[in-house]
Amino acid sequence: MHSIQERPVAVNGQVVIRPMMYVALSYDHRIVDGKEAVSFLVRVKQNVEDPRRLLIEA
């Protein structure tokens, strides 16, 4: 995880300044198959970006 910094982001066609933080997600390819690991990391990313998905999905 990195520090939170204000960065420009496009929201509804407008550029606005929002606090952003980079988060690194990785896996050990010797233990986990790449396809399943990437699918899992994509779902984690989606849920972090839009937590409402946690309430909607089963």
Side-chain angles (χ1 to χ4, degrees):
M1 294 175 41
H2 298 267
S3 63
I4 298 173
Q5 296 181 346
E6 291 187 343
R7 300 190 186 279
V9 180
V11 177
N12 297 325
Q14 300 290 324
V15 177
V16 296
I17 304 299
R18 294 282 169 90
M20 302 285 290
M21 176 178 63
Y22 291 112
V23 178
L25 300 173
S26 64
Y27 63 95
D28 188 338
H29 64 88
R30 297 170 297 177
I31 299 171
V32 181
D33 183 53
K35 181 181 177 190
E36 285 78 18
V38 170
S39 297
F40 172 75
L41 293 178
V42 166
R43 287 188 60 101
V44 169
K45 175 186 172 287
Q46 291 170 339
N47 290 330
V48 167
E49 290 177 342
D50 186 7
R52 293 176 295 173
R53 295 171 61 98
L54 295 170
L55 299 174
I56 297 170
E57 293 182 9

